[in-house]
Amino acid sequence: MSFFSMTKTLIKSIFHGPYTVKYPLEKKESFPASRGRIEINIQDCIFCGLCARRCPTGAINIEKAESRWSINRLRCIQCSYCSEVCPKKCLKMSNNYTAPSFENVEDEYCNARVPDNKENNRNIAGAC
Amino acid sequence: MGKETVIPFGPQHPVLPEPIHLDLVLEDETVVEAIPSIGYIHRGLEKLVEKKDFQQYTYVAERICGICSFMHGMGYCMSVESIMGVQIPERAEFLRTIWAELSRLHSHMLWLGLLADALGFESLFMHSWRLREQILDIFEETTSGRVIFSVCDIGGVRKDIDSETLKKINSILDGFEQEVSEITKVFLNDSSVILRTQGLGVLSQQAAFDLGAVGPMARASGIDIDMRKSGYAAYGRLKMEPILETAGDCYARTSVRIKEVFQSLDLIRQCIALIPEGEIKVKVMGNPKGEYFTRLEQPRGEVLYYVKANGTKFLDRVRVRTPTFANIPALLETLKGCQLADVPVLILTIDPCISCTER
Ligand code: SF4
Ligand code: SF4
């Protein structure tokens, strides 16, 4: 039995200073591999629907006829299964946390394809 | 004989990280009986298997528990792989073992912190959790998640750890070991901690056996039971002996867990030395048909996974028997005859995880 077994650790801590990060003044960088928000490059999406079928929480909705891809960010559990199965590799998981949300809405991305006018297609994409 | 009083303990109580309710029947300050009731955080995850296909269910399985999340995913994947006759690559076995042992480290550090908190030793609690943060950072760097990893998959694992990172993990663990050995000395030698734990809640070997205790709870009473000895994943290729104590009191349970922290460090180092190069995943085709039982050693003890599949992509049944559930009868036994003030420490020494008990 001893009485002062903690003293060494405590003295070390006094000289070390705080171990915590003073957020928001100081920010802890996420690791490159950290999980975060799902980002889509809508121009490459072919609306195959694979991501929506595989998503375990049903967070993704696809309207093929209207070329619309939407995600409910509050449902997403950040498993990155969708980005793994996407045949066009247009889904990517960024390493930033999803920003806080105030309402339960779906983020929509459209790509109104105009078959023989690629230039026009690019302009329309991302407009909604 | 004094008058009997019933004092409700929980579901909300400062020492309980999760809700469990106990009706404590007291005579003066002594507990004569404890009647548990659970059911506050049942989420119906076993039923969900009817709605999610067997691959999606991997993500559900690891959400059964926030602390042993990796091993829940692993138990489920191992069951489905065995039904389908899939042999996963050797590298994946080793990676799973590394992550499983890291989980044990972070779970035991969390528990040590909670024990210190229950004893009222706040600075010890904070130092234990500060050290745990290093393990969580290793997790975030290698698996992308801090507590829910989504890295175990049917057929292997989804992420590899390159040799640079393995070296880095080794050096982080060296520093961790040094610091943790200072902290654990306090748990084992400090007089104020010993006064609260030694001789408290003695569970004899026979009682532990009869009541079906598992994990550190059983090992602290001298029962030689550790599923890792059965050699699943890469454990068959590693050298390890179960850690046993004989006293069966709270001090023995603390000591078993502390020694397991060092054992896990040793196992991770062995894995890093032995890990072969190669693939990390095999492609899984078709649907499972059949049934299988898997037994794994989680930080809290042995978990059973039963999976029954019918040849479609939806499984018939998944059943999980978690270690806390198995340890509750033993807890009730140790509570008999203790003082009311010791109840929080006793409840903590089984390392209760209620959300996986109720699923
Ligand atoms: S899987 Fe990829 S290409 Fe297919 S719909 Fe989803 S995002 Fe688009
Ligand atoms: S990360 Fe997972 S939960 Fe989120 S949208 Fe993709 S598949 Fe669905």
Side-chain angles (χ1 to χ4, degrees), chain B residues 8-26:
Chain B
F9 184 94
Q12 303 301 332
H13 189 278
V15 299
L16 292 175
E18 292 174 274
I20 181 171
H21 175 79
L22 291 171
D23 274 323
L24 301 172
V25 183
L26 301 183

Side-chain angles (χ1 to χ4, degrees), chain B residues 144-315:
Chain B
S144 313
R146 285 170 68 79
V147 284
I148 303 283
F149 312 122
S150 304
V151 80
C152 202
D153 203 356
I154 295 164
V157 291
R158 295 166 73 197
K159 282 197 174 30
D160 201 354
I161 310 182
D162 59 33
S163 54
E164 280 304 303
T165 318
L166 283 175
K167 267 191 217 132
K168 193 172 146 199
I169 293 178
N170 229 340
S171 68
I172 295 175
L173 291 184
D174 285 341
F176 174 82
E177 183 167 15
Q178 220 172 19
E179 289 196 78
V180 95
S181 59
E182 304 247 318
I183 295 274
T184 50
K185 269 186 213 146
V186 184
F187 283 100
L188 295 177
N189 302 330
D190 193 89
S191 53
S192 51
V193 178
I194 289 181
L195 282 173
R196 291 294 305 276
T197 55
Q198 213 159 41
L200 177 68
V202 177
L203 186 69
S204 68
Q205 187 176 11
Q206 190 58 41
F209 183 79
D210 291 344
L211 296 167
V214 294
M217 188 89 179
R219 290 197 284 277
S221 298
I223 297 182
D224 186 357
I225 171 176
D226 193 327
M227 277 309 120
R228 289 176 287 176
K229 283 300 273 181
S230 67
Y232 66 87
Y235 288 111
R237 277 152 280 182
L238 308 177
K239 283 193 208 69
M240 65 151 288
E241 277 309 315
I243 286 163
L244 298 181
E245 290 278 343
T246 47
D249 58 358
C250 287
Y251 183 80
R253 295 192 269 278
T254 314
S255 154
V256 165
R257 291 202 176 94
I258 286 174
K259 286 180 189 154
E260 282 187 9
V261 167
F262 294 101
Q263 183 187 43
S264 293
L265 287 169
D266 176 49
L267 287 172
I268 296 168
R269 292 207 183 98
Q270 287 187 40
C271 282
I272 292 178
L274 290 175
I275 191 167
E277 288 298 322
E279 288 293 306
I280 54 164
K281 198 172 169 187
V282 287
K283 214 169 161 49
V284 176
M285 307 291 268
N287 295 324
K289 187 169 187 347
E291 50 186 343
Y292 202 81
F293 253 118
T294 306
R295 302 170 76 186
L296 300 185
E297 188 71 21
Q298 281 187 340
R300 289 163 181 77
E302 175 194 338
V303 66
L304 291 180
Y305 256 87
Y306 169 72
V307 174
K308 186 169 177 219
N310 55 9
T312 66
K313 66 179 185 168
F314 294 98
L315 301 177

Side-chain angles (χ1 to χ4, degrees), chain A:
Chain A
M1 277 219 228
S2 62
F3 289 97
F4 297 107
S5 43
M6 190 72 186
T7 321
K8 198 173 151 198
T9 314
L10 293 184
I11 292 175
K12 236 197 269 170
S13 308
I14 290 173
F15 290 109
H16 184 283
Y19 286 90
T20 44
V21 175
K22 290 195 188 67
Y23 188 83
L25 299 175
E26 233 177 281
K27 237 181 164 178
K28 194 180 169 204
E29 284 301 313
S30 340
F31 293 98
S34 301
R35 282 177 212 280
R37 219 173 112 97
I38 286 283
E39 307 283 0
I40 181 166
N41 180 359
I42 195 73
Q43 271 103 0
D44 289 345
C45 176
I46 52 171
F47 303 98
C48 65
L50 211 55
C51 52
R53 269 208 305 281
R54 294 294 179 84
C55 172
T57 58
I60 300 176
N61 269 318
I62 288 171
E63 293 287 343
K64 195 168 177 159
E66 292 154 39
S67 303
R68 189 167 66 222
W69 185 97
S70 58
I71 180 168
N72 185 333
R73 304 236 174 241
L74 293 182
R75 286 194 120 184
C76 173
I77 53 170
Q78 281 142 8
C79 62
S80 83
Y81 197 17
C82 51
S83 60
E84 244 171 51
V85 295
C86 174
K88 301 296 281 182
K89 297 282 162 244
C90 57
L91 287 176
K92 195 172 111 260
M93 183 155 251
S94 72
N95 65 350
N96 292 321
Y97 292 107
T98 307
S101 173
F102 298 99
E103 43 190 343
N104 191 359
V105 287
E106 299 212 342
D107 277 0
E108 284 188 3
Y109 300 83
C110 301
N111 186 3
R113 277 168 183 259
V114 185
D116 5 274
N117 186 349
K118 276 202 174 132
E119 205 46 47
N120 194 9
N121 183 11
R122 293 240 178 279
N123 290 340
I124 296 170
C128 69

Side-chain angles (χ1 to χ4, degrees), chain B residues 72 214 298 300-303 321-328 356-357:
Chain B
H72 276 291
V214 294
Q298 281 187 340
R300 289 163 181 77
E302 175 194 338
V303 66
R321 201 293 316 270
T322 58
T324 304
F325 185 71
N327 276 335
I328 286 181
C356 60
T357 304

Side-chain angles (χ1 to χ4, degrees), chain B residues 312-338:
Chain B
T312 66
K313 66 179 185 168
F314 294 98
L315 301 177
D316 267 350
R317 182 87 170 96
V318 170
R319 166 95 179 109
V320 191
R321 201 293 316 270
T322 58
T324 304
F325 185 71
N327 276 335
I328 286 181
L331 165 71
L332 300 180
E333 176 67 23
T334 55
L335 280 176
K336 278 182 202 152
C338 79

